[in-house]
Amino acid sequence: MSAQPDTGITEINTDLVRRLIAEQFPRWAHLPVRPVEVGGWDTAPSTWATR
């Protein structure tokens, strides 16, 4: 039996997003949730603060 290594990465899927929205923003729970094409990283360093 081989265990998967813990990479610290959580898979984000539409079911997870729907649950989180329903828990945190119940008034928006009726809105549709759909996947979008991956276009980059939201954690990329920002340089505007150093200007």
Side-chain angles (χ1 to χ4, degrees):
M1 181 166 125
S2 64
Q4 293 284 340
D6 182 6
T7 62
I9 298 172
T10 301
E11 181 183 346
I12 300 173
N13 57 38
T14 54
D15 290 334
L16 173 61
V17 172
R18 283 186 191 106
R19 285 195 314 268
L20 292 172
I21 291 173
E23 290 174 16
Q24 298 175 34
F25 306 99
R27 68 179 183 200
W28 296 338
H30 69 283
L31 297 173
V33 174
R34 63 179 173 83
V36 296
E37 184 177 332
V38 176
W41 297 93
D42 64 349
T43 57
S46 173
T47 58
W48 67 270
T50 59
R51 293 182 186 167

